[in-house]
């Protein structure tokens, strides 16, 4: 029997990196399916574009660095980044949006820092912020759910909008966003934020067909689907509970105080809108850029939840998961430094 010596920490997990990444991607499937049901086939178009782009970008960078391509590409980390970028951009955004984001995530954020395990920031969220700041019009062009469109877009028109930025009949995306019952094309978070800024109450802002009693029509089911996927990751012990629970509890407490003290949306609205659940279970829990100690994970998750609430309520962007995660990525070394567990035997009496 061959005895292999290795330094600590000793990882007893039987899951390899590619199996862990596969589990996370499988857990995304319920959310992706629900998202495509409400927002159309564009979700799958963006997904295909992102996966192709991250594969080519990773292969090109590995070749330039003189590294073997398939062993690294097959670990699935680049594919998971592509999945997270694809579900973050509007389904009918122009094709070049997701391509630019995927290239930036792999080439700049991941490979130029040394590859998996060396990146300081979450690649998917760094790409999302780049796209949102650089192309705000394209990145906020979310259509209402298919049921609210006066004429749901055929598959060929959705394909045409992604690749030519107009339907087969020549309609632009803005013209295709015409809906019924006074619902707007803005996301629920953006609509409520704008309406309350115009001195309307939250109840008045949500008084149209784009909203249910709890959150935006369709968006609540998307978040519930990602929540189910996240619970699977917890059960399979792919992620720890500390970050998602701390983030959700922190966001809930902040939104509860806001609801009680002022004209602000309630807890259910914040938890079931935007990228809350995918952020809590799939993005904030990135093992490379997140905190690594249990106490640190609780602080990390809680601060993300606080920042999400503050930016949603008082910032210039309706959703804030990406910004919050990136800001806390920068604080991870400090958090880990002050929350590292005591070394065995340290301080013990002799």
């Amino acid at each position: 029997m061959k005895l292999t010596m290795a330094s600590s920490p000793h990882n007893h997990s039987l899951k390899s990196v590619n199996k862990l990444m596969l589990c996370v991607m499988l857990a995304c499937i319920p959310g992706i399916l629900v998202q495509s049901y409400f927002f159309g086939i564009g979700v799958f178009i963006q997904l295909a574009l992102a996966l192709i782009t991250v594969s080519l970008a990773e292969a090109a960078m590995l070749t330039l660095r003189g590294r073997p391509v398939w062993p690294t590409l097959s670990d699935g980390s680049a594919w998971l980044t592509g999945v997270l970028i694809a579900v973050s951009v509007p389904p009918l955004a122009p094709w070049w949006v997701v391509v630019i984001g995927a290239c930036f995530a792999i080439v700049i954020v991941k490979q130029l820092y040394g590859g998996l395990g060396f990146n300081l920031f979450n690649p998917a969220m760094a790409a999302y912020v780049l796209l949102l700041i650089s192309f705000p019009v394209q990145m906020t062009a979310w259509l209402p759910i298919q049921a609210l469109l006066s004429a749901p877009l055929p598959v060929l028109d959705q394909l045409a909008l992604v690749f030519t930025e107009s339907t087969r009949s020549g309609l632009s995306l803005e013209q295709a966003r015409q809906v019924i019952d006074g619902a707007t094309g803005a996301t629920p978070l953006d609509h409520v934020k704008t309406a309350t800024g115009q001195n309307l109450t939250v109840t008045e802002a949500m008084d149209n067909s784009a909203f249910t009693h709890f959150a935006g029509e369709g968006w609540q089911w998307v978040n519930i689907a990602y929540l189910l996927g996240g619970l699977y990751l917890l059960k399979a012990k792919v992620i720890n509970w500390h970050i998602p629970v701390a983030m959700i509890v922190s966001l809930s407490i902040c939104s509860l105080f806001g609801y009680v003290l002022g004209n602000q949306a309630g807890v259910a609205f914040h938890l079931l809108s935007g990228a809350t659940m995918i952020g809590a279970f799939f993005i904030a829990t990135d093992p490379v850029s997140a905190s690594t100690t249990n106490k640190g994970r609780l602080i990390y998750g809680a601060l993300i939840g606080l920042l999400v609430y503050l930016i949603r309520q008082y910032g210039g962007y309706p959703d804030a998961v990406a910004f919050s995660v990136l800001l806390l990525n920068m604080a991870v070394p400090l958090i880990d430094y002050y929350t590292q567990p005591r070394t065995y035997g340290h301080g013990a009496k002799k």
Side-chain angles (χ1 to χ4, degrees), residues 90 92-94 136-144 148-151 153 157-158 160-162 164-167 169-180 183-187 190:
L92 298 183
V137 175
Q138 289 79 9
M139 286 296 291
T140 54
W142 285 87
L143 263 71
L148 292 178
L149 291 171
S150 56
L153 291 172
D157 277 342
Q158 294 182 53
L161 279 169
V162 172
T164 68
E165 301 185 43
S166 65
T167 64
S169 59
L171 293 178
S172 67
L173 182 59
E174 185 62 33
Q175 292 170 322
R177 294 170 72 181
Q178 302 301 314
V179 295
I180 60 172
T184 68
T187 63
D190 192 27

Side-chain angles (χ1 to χ4, degrees), residues 31-52:
I32 293 172
L33 292 177
V34 174
Q35 201 167 331
S36 64
Y37 173 79
F38 285 108
F39 296 101
I41 199 69
V43 175
F44 292 117
I45 301 172
Q46 302 293 349
L47 185 61
L49 287 170
L51 290 176
I52 292 171

Side-chain angles (χ1 to χ4, degrees), residues 2-90:
K2 183 179 179 181
L3 178 63
T4 302
M5 301 297 293
S7 62
S8 61
H10 303 288
N11 186 2
H12 297 284
S13 174
L14 299 179
K15 292 186 175 68
S16 60
V17 173
N18 62 337
K19 288 183 179 179
L20 289 173
M21 296 298 171
L22 179 61
C23 284
V24 178
M25 286 187 282
L26 289 175
C28 286
I29 290 177
I32 293 172
L33 292 177
V34 174
Q35 201 167 331
S36 64
Y37 173 79
F38 285 108
F39 296 101
I41 199 69
V43 175
F44 292 117
I45 301 172
Q46 302 293 349
L47 185 61
L49 287 170
L51 290 176
I52 292 171
T53 304
V54 295
S55 299
L56 294 176
E58 182 104 319
M61 288 300 297
L62 290 171
T63 301
L64 289 173
R65 295 177 61 202
R67 303 293 180 85
V69 174
W70 181 246
T72 302
L73 186 60
S74 62
D75 67 16
S77 60
W79 297 331
L80 178 58
T81 297
V83 170
L84 295 177
I85 294 173
V87 298
S88 299
V89 303

Side-chain angles (χ1 to χ4, degrees), residues 26-325:
L26 289 175
C28 286
I29 290 177
I32 293 172
L33 292 177
V34 174
Q35 201 167 331
S36 64
Y37 173 79
F38 285 108
F39 296 101
I41 199 69
V43 175
F44 292 117
I45 301 172
Q46 302 293 349
L47 185 61
L49 287 170
L51 290 176
I52 292 171
T53 304
V54 295
S55 299
L56 294 176
E58 182 104 319
M61 288 300 297
L62 290 171
T63 301
L64 289 173
R65 295 177 61 202
R67 303 293 180 85
V69 174
W70 181 246
T72 302
L73 186 60
S74 62
D75 67 16
S77 60
W79 297 331
L80 178 58
T81 297
V83 170
L84 295 177
I85 294 173
V87 298
S88 299
V89 303
L92 298 183
W95 63 271
W96 47 265
V97 170
V98 75
V99 169
I100 291 174
C103 286
F104 179 80
I106 299 300
V107 175
I108 305 298
V109 185
K110 182 182 179 184
Q111 287 297 331
L112 289 187
Y113 277 91
L116 181 65
F118 296 96
N119 49 287
L120 300 179
F121 301 100
N122 183 295
M125 292 301 95
Y128 177 85
V129 169
L130 169 79
L131 295 173
L132 185 60
I133 293 174
S134 303
F135 313 108
V137 175
Q138 289 79 9
M139 286 296 291
T140 54
W142 285 87
L143 263 71
I145 64 172
Q146 292 283 304
L148 292 178
L149 291 171
S150 56
L153 291 172
V155 172
L156 292 179
D157 277 342
Q158 294 182 53
L159 281 166
L161 279 169
V162 172
F163 290 104
T164 68
E165 301 185 43
S166 65
T167 64
R168 292 173 297 168
S169 59
L171 293 178
S172 67
L173 182 59
E174 185 62 33
Q175 292 170 322
R177 294 170 72 181
Q178 302 301 314
V179 295
I180 60 172
D181 294 334
T184 68
T187 63
L189 284 168
D190 192 27
H191 178 76
V192 171
K193 186 180 183 70
T194 302
T196 53
Q198 297 171 346
N199 296 321
L200 296 177
T201 65
V202 173
T203 303
E204 290 171 335
M206 296 176 63
D207 187 22
N208 67 50
S209 59
F211 291 88
T212 65
H213 294 295
F214 303 105
E217 185 72 53
W219 286 94
Q220 61 179 353
W221 297 112
V222 172
N223 274 277
I224 290 173
Y226 282 117
L227 170 62
L228 293 177
L231 294 177
Y232 161 75
L233 293 180
L234 289 176
K235 187 178 187 319
K237 297 183 178 181
V238 174
I239 60 174
N240 294 300
W241 62 269
H242 305 77
I243 293 175
V245 169
M247 177 180 165
I248 291 172
V249 170
S250 174
L251 179 58
S252 299
I253 293 173
C254 291
S255 55
L256 178 60
F257 273 104
Y259 177 76
V260 172
L261 299 177
N263 178 33
Q264 298 180 14
V267 175
F269 179 81
H270 279 282
L271 295 185
L272 299 177
S273 297
T276 300
M277 291 304 168
I278 191 173
F281 291 96
F282 295 88
I283 295 171
T285 53
D286 174 28
V288 177
S289 58
S291 182
T292 57
T293 67
N294 285 338
K295 288 182 180 178
R297 288 173 181 140
L298 290 172
I299 296 172
Y300 176 82
L303 289 177
I304 290 177
L306 173 62
L307 285 176
V308 167
Y309 170 76
L310 291 176
I311 297 174
R312 281 182 178 180
Q313 197 62 44
Y314 305 107
Y317 293 94
D319 204 355
V321 171
F323 291 99
S324 303
V325 169

